Amino acid sequence: MDEKRAKEEIDRLKKEINRHNYLYYVLDSPAITDAEYDRLMRRLEELENQFPRLVTPDSPTQRVGAKPLEAFGTVTHTIPMLSLKNAFTGQETTEFDARIKKYLKMGEEIEYAAEPKMDGLAVELVYEDGIFARGSTRGDGYVGEDVTQNLRTVRSIPLRLTPGRAEKKSIPRHLEVRGEVFLPLEAFRKLNREKEAKGEAIFANPRNAAAGSLRQLDPKVTASRPLDIFCYGLGSAEGAGFKTHYESLEFLSSIGLKVNPFVKVVKGIDRVLEYHREIEKKREELDYELDGVVVKVNDLALQERLGVRTREPRWALAFKFAPKQESTTVKDIIVGVGRTGALTPVALLEPISVGGVTIERATLHNQDEVDRKDVRIGDTVVVQRAGDVIPEIAYVIKEKRPPGRELKRFRMPDKCPECGSIVEREGALHFCMGGLLCPAQLKESIRHFASKRAMDIEGLGAMHVDQFVDSGLLKDVADIYYLNKDKLLGQERWAEKSAENLIKAIEASKRRTLERIIYALGIRGVGEHMARLLSKEFGSIEALMDTGEEDLVKVHEIGPETARSIVDFFKERHNLQVMEKLKKAGVVFPSEARKAKGRLAGKVFLFTGSLKTFTRDEAKDLVEAEGGEAAAAISKKIDYVVAGEEPGSKYDKARELGLKIIDEDEFRRMAGR
Ligand code: IVH
């Protein structure tokens, strides 16, 4: 076959496959069998393999295949992605309507677009000339993360829009579409079942699962989760010229994007309240989570007049659903022990189904919380789930307490239920003082050490940690690095292949960044952010260990409690032994260039023009290695402008601002080179 004929067939196949994608994933009404679909895909792959030049980014074969990223880039939204004001009652919703009428000085009823509020995460899709070009998360509303390659794997997001379906309007050359990405409930439950089986931490709710899936650096992982989307609005869409919001949604739908089928135009706020009741009922039958309805003034000219107040538009409102509640009884209150030794009271409940999920336990957080809610064993309580798997007790129905018989109040034990060590109270929390001699703390701290965001030891899930601690294989985190194939094969349910994989993953974890190691150690009060700060500030584990409380608190963001907990951690003999053991096993504690102490400490440099003895990057690296900062743009906070040959406009700007300008030789002297 020649290239011309191949191209014709490829184009035909792409069109055909895209149409079936649309029918299947957007309209949910497939027209062919899976086998027929696979045949079309295989034929396309075959031709593309034969003529690689004919592969285009919008080809259905190109959804997955991008390489894993190191990190996500950022995207600045051309128009900020706003949030919504919340209402929890009909009363508040009626007040919203009254405010609008007053603001617009309108007597007649307002026309609203009423929409389901999907509980997922907001994204923006950018189409250039009808081709999916970029996708990002909402982030803080102004800047989000570039998750383009992950969004490409979402089947209901067309890689190419279909103008054929647009009636009169043509597609703007640059089109920004906003929507909610979510994980259907069935897929969410399946994913959690799989995670549980692997001994991994489960997702608390479908929203977290969707966010976790979309924020994967490896698009293959995202592709394995059947994410879906509903589009609910526009960002920048020049020349679109819609009169109403509803019209814009109809347009999105007509060009192949997925819009929620329950969107409706209603007149007057009473109809909105009615809609809210309808959708709240419908919610039970849906395969995705809703957490309310969104009400939007339909007329775009009126929206314009109403404008935005701080970060919320005056023309829209989220009328949330009441959390799902049921009543049941408390069978017992038990106490769990976490990684830091914190004791958590947990209510064991008579199993009850709340919104389709069976609930058997609810966390009570701490003694104060138990006292505040006055929960006692034998009580009848109302439990609620706000879309979350981890439920809570809303309140006790005191009228149901048996008359004449006092139910016992819950008291924290004075001995650790896991190891019998003494328990001490610190602030709101009680702690077991047994440290890592306490098996519960040991298990939790090993789980934390191996977790994804710490040392990231794939395959060492919660169940395996339990198994290895119970069988005495792991007595501290360092023992992980002394596992070998023989030891693993001596354990129940371990086979050649799985043992090999785990050993490989353990080996790979020996070289993690300093901040991950600091985080992995599990020092109380040191989360990811603090670990990053400590790593930047002190540069090496030795420097951190040598620093006393008074110097730690001098660092911005480190409070006295965290400082004490860090110093205490490194004073503990057992911790020092574990660190020695880690080093001996070959775990690298890398050093970072110490920022605060270099020759250029605290100074900000800007380079302009070409340098003779450095490239730009080398010069910047040198500045940073010596504790300084290299700025990208001119500003008053710059201490030195280094002018090379033929300096650009930054040079003139620097003179205007009266900044200190030096040449390359002087810069080199300052940096000690
Ligand atoms: S409109 C200015 N419509 O709710 C209006 N948002 O709390 C911006 N959401 O960030 C949003 N369904 O993630 C809109 N039908 C819908 C929605 C919806 C879910 C989410 C969205 C947004 C959040 C606002």
Side-chain angles (χ1 to χ4, degrees), residues 330-617:
V330 178
K331 291 197 298 191
D332 198 0
I333 299 179
I334 58 164
V335 175
V337 184
R339 166 168 64 84
T340 58
L343 304 188
T344 310
V346 177
L348 298 187
L349 309 166
E350 194 56 51
I352 175 86
S353 167
V354 183
V357 175
T358 303
I359 291 177
E360 296 176 64
R361 45 173 64 211
T363 172
L364 288 163
H365 305 288
N366 54 52
Q367 179 75 55
D368 289 348
E369 182 82 357
V370 182
D371 293 344
R372 196 173 62 74
K373 291 185 174 159
D374 191 14
V375 180
R376 306 185 196 180
I377 299 170
D379 262 334
T380 303
V381 294
V382 171
V383 287
Q384 66 180 24
R385 212 168 58 87
D388 292 4
V389 167
I390 298 164
E392 58 174 15
I393 291 182
Y395 56 91
V396 174
I397 309 178
K398 299 237 168 91
E399 298 75 47
K400 295 223 171 161
R401 278 194 181 150
R405 187 163 66 90
E406 179 85 342
L407 293 178
K408 223 176 86 197
R409 282 178 193 275
F410 168 79
R411 280 274 136 249
M412 271 299 183
D414 47 16
K415 296 257 165 56
C416 172
E418 297 283 342
C419 71
S421 300
I422 53 162
V423 167
E424 278 178 21
R425 182 169 185 150
E426 281 176 40
L429 298 178
H430 288 74
F431 289 93
C432 156
M433 294 288 123
L436 295 177
L437 296 175
C438 171
Q441 285 183 59
L442 178 60
K443 283 175 184 173
E444 286 299 327
S445 54
I446 296 176
R447 275 176 205 156
H448 170 77
F449 184 87
S451 68
K452 182 127 197 103
R453 308 187 77 102
M455 300 302 267
D456 190 14
I457 306 179
E458 216 188 312
L460 188 57
M463 280 189 342
H464 302 135
V465 172
D466 281 355
Q467 181 184 20
F468 297 159
V469 170
D470 291 341
S471 67
L473 218 47
L474 298 182
K475 293 202 171 64
D476 58 44
V477 294
D479 282 341
I480 295 174
Y481 294 95
Y482 295 84
L483 291 174
N484 55 35
K485 223 168 95 181
D486 285 343
K487 286 189 189 172
L488 291 177
L489 290 177
Q491 299 278 307
E492 251 173 72
R493 298 187 305 275
W494 281 82
E496 195 83 7
K497 188 77 195 152
S498 51
E500 257 167 37
N501 285 343
L502 181 56
I503 297 297
K504 248 191 238 149
I506 291 172
E507 201 51 39
S509 76
K510 285 183 177 171
R511 300 186 149 269
R512 297 287 182 234
T513 55
L514 181 60
E515 58 180 78
R516 274 175 176 261
I517 297 188
I518 295 176
Y519 172 61
L521 290 175
I523 306 168
R524 197 189 293 170
V526 180
E528 271 180 286
H529 174 71
M530 184 57 68
R532 192 167 314 131
L533 187 82
L534 292 172
S535 146
K536 275 215 177 112
E537 200 64 40
F538 297 98
S540 71
I541 200 79
E542 291 79 15
L544 177 60
M545 292 170 72
D546 281 348
T547 310
E549 272 179 63
E550 55 298 351
D551 287 322
L552 281 166
V553 289
K554 280 187 198 142
V555 178
H556 182 59
E557 287 191 70
I558 303 186
E561 265 182 49
T562 308
R564 183 156 357 101
S565 134
I566 294 169
V567 170
D568 283 351
F569 183 90
F570 290 119
K571 264 208 301 231
E572 240 278 318
R573 250 210 6 249
H574 177 257
N575 290 339
L576 298 178
Q577 282 166 358
V578 169
M579 303 221 342
E580 269 316 302
K581 228 166 121 182
L582 285 170
K583 280 185 198 157
K584 265 213 195 105
V587 176
V588 183
F589 285 76
S591 295
E592 276 212 349
R594 253 170 104 150
K595 286 208 171 151
K597 296 276 163 70
R599 288 166 187 265
L600 307 178
K603 297 284 182 254
V604 184
F605 288 79
L606 180 83
F607 295 91
T608 172
S610 55
L611 305 174
K612 287 176 302 210
T613 50
F614 303 102
T615 65
R616 261 307 157 75
D617 284 339

Side-chain angles (χ1 to χ4, degrees), residues 81-86 115-123 138 179-180 232 291 294 296 313 315-316 318:
M81 292 179 78
L82 302 170
S83 44
L84 292 171
K85 188 175 173 62
N86 284 331
E115 309 176 358
K117 184 171 188 301
M118 283 71 67
D119 197 11
L121 78 157
V123 298
R138 173 176 182 274
E180 194 84 350
Y232 56 66
D291 60 344
V294 182
K296 301 171 184 172
W315 45 264

Side-chain angles (χ1 to χ4, degrees), residues 8-228:
E8 281 166 10
E9 188 176 346
I10 285 179
D11 284 347
R12 216 174 32 247
L13 282 163
K14 283 201 289 200
K15 263 215 182 106
E16 180 78 0
I17 293 170
N18 279 335
R19 192 172 71 88
H20 289 299
N21 261 340
Y22 177 76
L23 290 170
Y24 187 94
Y25 292 105
V26 179
L27 298 187
D28 201 11
S29 65
I32 54 174
T33 63
D34 288 1
E36 282 169 306
Y37 180 86
D38 289 345
R39 222 170 7 253
L40 293 172
M41 275 297 267
R42 268 205 306 280
R43 175 67 185 149
L44 178 59
E45 274 163 12
E46 206 175 278
L47 287 172
E48 286 182 343
N49 279 339
Q50 229 175 314
F51 299 94
R53 286 204 312 172
L54 300 179
V55 181
T56 57
D58 66 321
S59 167
T61 59
Q62 302 300 303
R63 284 201 180 260
V64 206
K67 291 213 177 64
L69 294 171
E70 293 280 329
F72 295 116
T74 55
V75 173
T76 305
H77 304 299
T78 37
I79 301 176
M81 292 179 78
L82 302 170
S83 44
L84 292 171
K85 188 175 173 62
N86 284 331
F88 298 93
T89 60
Q91 169 77 21
E92 287 171 294
T93 308
T94 312
E95 284 163 12
F96 158 79
D97 177 63
R99 270 198 306 278
I100 288 182
K101 284 179 181 153
K102 189 167 163 209
Y103 196 95
L104 296 173
K105 299 192 175 64
M106 262 172 70
E108 65 195 283
E109 292 300 345
I110 310 270
E111 189 177 89
Y112 291 108
E115 309 176 358
K117 184 171 188 301
M118 283 71 67
D119 197 11
L121 78 157
V123 298
E124 179 166 82
L125 312 174
V126 180
Y127 286 89
E128 307 279 5
D129 292 317
I131 305 287
F132 178 55
R134 204 162 41 261
S136 53
T137 60
R138 173 176 182 274
D140 63 4
Y142 300 97
V143 179
E145 283 178 320
D146 185 336
V147 287
T148 309
Q149 59 178 30
N150 289 344
L151 285 170
R152 289 179 71 87
T153 70
V154 178
R155 302 298 160 140
S156 48
I157 295 179
L159 298 179
R160 170 196 282 273
L161 299 174
T162 43
R165 276 191 277 270
E167 283 145 32
K168 285 164 269 157
K169 291 208 162 52
S170 60
I171 299 175
R173 295 203 60 172
H174 177 90
L175 176 67
E176 298 175 0
V177 181
R178 281 147 187 206
E180 194 84 350
V181 166
F182 60 93
L183 191 65
L185 287 174
E186 200 176 315
F188 163 70
R189 294 192 190 110
K190 180 160 168 258
L191 179 60
N192 265 354
R193 274 199 303 276
E194 286 166 3
K195 282 194 158 283
E196 229 164 6
K198 278 195 260 172
E200 293 173 10
I202 60 165
F203 287 112
N205 53 51
R207 175 171 22 91
N208 288 359
S213 303
L214 197 60
R215 293 190 68 265
Q216 288 287 338
L217 292 169
D218 185 353
K220 286 206 180 58
V221 179
T222 312
S224 73
R225 317 250 169 101
L227 291 169
D228 204 344

